[in-house]
Amino acid sequence: MIVRRTILIKLSKDKCDVDYILRLMALTNLAYRGYEIWAPDLPKTIQHQLYGSFKNFKGSLVFGAVPKRWFAKTWVPLNTLRVYPDVSVKGDRGAPIVLDFRSNVIKLHQVCRNEPRYVVTIPMPKWVIDRVKEGGDIKFAMVGLKNNEPYLALTAERVVEPYQPSDYILAVDINSWSHGIAWGLIKNGNIIKWKSETPNLREIDNLYNLSVELSREYGKLKRLGLDKTVEGKRLWRKIKRLRRKLYAKLRDYSQKLVHRLVKKALRHRALVIIDDMIEESRRELLEMKLPSGLRKLYLMYTRRFVKLLVTQLEWYGVPYRFKRLPSTVCPICGHELTQVESRVMICENCGFKAPRDKVPMYWAIKVAQNLNFRQGFLAYERRGYI
Ligand SMILES: [Zn+2]
């Protein structure tokens, strides 16, 4: 199985001409539609990337999905040349992106500005070195704009086969962010450990509320035509800083949690069972009457968390399955559970009782038994007993 991971690296606007990248992106959009247009004033080497080797890219681009609209901004795919410490070389010698692992730099040839022999050199991110150590290779790169800022995207690729799981299971129940993510480690049908993890919600709420408050003030200034004054500009910078901090906190939290979960799964060679009921999370958030902006933010980061988790599980060859792990249905008798105080669920039919976030772990045991049964059955079938 080929697995991929991507990193985005911000490029300096001083060194990178945004208009030039915009033109390259427009040409890429056309290339996706099968049009070959050679702009006479653009470097041939770069345009060659679009028409010469484009077919190789098409199937392997991570977020280079076919653009939905005409003139939608499409990232520009580029070949790479990799030079390793033992001076072995991989890739295309004429590639505009050179990853030099001898001096740990990346060189971008004519990617940032339409000038002959224009080169931008950036330090090699630790991320790249780590992925290469894990057996990955950076075959592809892309440049493009995100919020009008130039970025370089590097995609690491690796061939990996998922391992044969041990008797451990790691169940991950993804609730809305407000109730966090519950995980449980299960061995032979016993819940060894379980935990419900939540980010520091008060801090996030505070940052959000403050940014909304300041945005309102800024709106007032704007209506009065005072948004370009020193005071207005200062306020705008403050809002942007707050938002950046808020996003960074959420991102950081999910990255760290994903990292911990993946390490846990690897340590026990566990099978990972994930329940990502985004719809249920959305409903739960609606019930909590959160401001809609914050609700959207939580949902967005919940989705990103799932994506990040799956990408990393695949990268390390951890087998995983998506299964429903309900927290409101009794795992013993299937009766609906009733929630009593402090998020405890009870079954009025059979007497089952557990904290709400622990119920999914019982379901995971059940799911795993079914999976095992099926696998045993298949093995039996293969041996010709049935
Ligand atoms: Zn029951």
Side-chain angles (χ1 to χ4, degrees):
M1 189 168 76
I2 296 176
V3 292
R4 296 186 182 93
R5 280 174 76 176
T6 298
I7 188 179
L8 286 180
I9 302 156
K10 199 170 178 177
L11 300 168
S12 147
K13 251 184 172 174
D14 301 336
K15 288 181 186 161
C16 260
D17 178 359
V18 166
D19 291 333
Y20 172 58
I21 293 180
L22 210 55
R23 278 189 73 194
L24 293 178
M25 288 174 91
L27 284 176
T28 311
N29 189 303
L30 291 170
Y32 265 110
R33 285 158 210 284
Y35 292 91
E36 197 174 314
I37 296 151
W38 292 84
D41 62 321
L42 292 181
K44 280 243 161 30
T45 46
I46 299 289
Q47 295 191 73
H48 198 76
Q49 299 284 310
L50 290 182
Y51 311 118
S53 50
F54 198 65
K55 278 175 223 88
N56 305 335
F57 281 115
K58 260 187 159 174
S60 38
L61 292 182
V62 172
F63 49 101
V66 179
K68 290 186 186 73
R69 289 177 292 121
W70 276 95
F71 308 118
K73 284 176 187 156
T74 313
W75 287 56
V76 188
L78 301 165
N79 272 322
T80 64
L81 174 73
R82 288 87 72 199
V83 184
Y84 294 102
D86 61 355
V87 290
S88 64
V89 168
K90 265 192 204 166
D92 169 9
R93 282 188 186 271
I97 308 285
V98 180
L99 289 96
D100 190 340
F101 293 98
R102 292 169 309 179
S103 39
N104 282 335
V105 290
I106 302 177
K107 286 184 177 157
L108 294 84
H109 293 267
Q110 278 190 335
V111 172
C112 283
R113 198 164 282 170
N114 190 8
E115 270 171 33
R117 286 180 292 283
Y118 184 77
V119 182
V120 170
T121 305
I122 56 170
M124 181 82 72
K126 189 177 171 289
W127 184 93
V128 172
I129 297 167
D130 288 346
R131 297 298 82 79
V132 169
K133 267 191 202 146
E134 288 162 354
D137 191 8
I138 315 279
K139 287 187 189 164
F140 310 107
M142 281 192 270
V143 285
L145 300 176
K146 200 179 140 204
N147 303 328
N148 215 32
E149 300 278 351
Y151 280 89
L152 172 72
L154 296 176
T155 299
E157 206 177 88
R158 178 188 182 205
V159 179
V160 65
E161 286 310 319
Y163 57 70
Q164 197 61 39
S166 66
D167 8 332
Y168 278 93
I169 284 169
L170 181 67
V172 183
D173 184 39
I174 292 143
N175 299 308
S176 57
W177 276 84
S178 42
H179 288 134
I181 281 140
W183 59 264
L185 193 64
I186 296 158
K187 193 190 178 189
N188 295 329
N190 297 311
I191 302 168
I192 295 177
K193 209 175 170 187
W194 76 278
K195 207 178 165 198
S196 187
E197 314 248 6
T198 37
N200 188 340
L201 290 172
R202 194 181 304 157
E203 200 181 7
I204 288 167
D205 285 5
N206 284 347
L207 281 172
Y208 177 80
N209 290 336
L210 193 56
S211 87
V212 169
E213 211 176 285
L214 294 183
S215 299
R216 262 194 220 120
E217 252 176 66
Y218 185 75
K220 265 186 226 156
L221 284 183
K222 205 169 181 179
R223 277 192 296 280
L224 293 169
L226 296 171
D227 53 316
K228 296 287 177 229
T229 57
V230 177
E231 197 194 343
K233 280 183 184 163
R234 194 180 296 145
L235 188 60
W236 180 237
R237 275 201 301 274
K238 204 171 167 188
I239 295 169
K240 281 216 314 210
R241 216 165 34 235
L242 271 175
R243 286 188 189 158
R244 261 205 306 274
K245 205 171 157 190
L246 176 64
Y247 299 149
K249 281 233 177 312
L250 286 164
R251 198 174 47 232
D252 198 48
Y253 175 77
S254 36
Q255 270 170 356
K256 280 189 181 141
L257 186 54
V258 163
H259 185 69
R260 264 171 50 217
L261 289 172
V262 172
K263 258 175 57 186
K264 215 180 282 295
L266 277 173
R267 192 159 57 237
H268 299 288
R269 291 183 75 81
L271 167 70
V272 177
I273 298 178
I274 309 165
D275 183 359
D276 72 329
M277 271 312 281
I278 298 288
E279 199 37 48
E280 201 171 275
S281 313
R282 203 179 65 85
R283 243 178 290 131
E284 214 175 330
L285 285 170
L286 277 171
E287 280 166 21
M288 288 177 60
K289 300 194 173 51
L290 285 173
S292 77
L294 194 54
R295 195 163 64 221
K296 271 186 205 147
L297 202 64
Y298 278 153
L299 264 183
M300 186 170 91
Y301 275 90
T302 308
R303 282 198 200 99
R304 280 199 190 167
F305 177 86
V306 177
K307 208 172 159 224
L308 201 64
L309 179 64
V310 167
T311 311
Q312 293 206 15
L313 289 174
E314 286 183 353
W315 180 263
Y316 292 107
V318 180
Y320 69 93
R321 302 263 195 295
F322 279 100
K323 293 280 174 193
R324 277 296 286 128
L325 306 171
S327 54
T328 54
V329 181
C330 177
I332 312 294
C333 70
H335 196 272
E336 194 154 328
L337 295 171
T338 317
Q339 182 162 331
V340 291
E341 71 279 8
S342 53
R343 279 171 74 82
V344 169
M345 307 301 279
I346 51 165
C347 175
E348 280 159 3
N349 188 39
C350 73
F352 171 84
K353 188 179 171 192
R356 186 178 173 135
D357 293 334
K358 201 180 178 182
V359 179
M361 307 310 146
Y362 289 100
W363 274 101
I365 294 175
K366 238 182 145 154
V367 166
Q369 275 161 355
N370 281 337
L371 283 174
N372 273 342
F373 177 75
R374 266 219 308 277
Q375 261 159 16
F377 186 81
L378 287 175
Y380 239 65
E381 200 178 42
R382 265 200 308 276
R383 287 193 212 111
Y385 294 137
I386 303 169

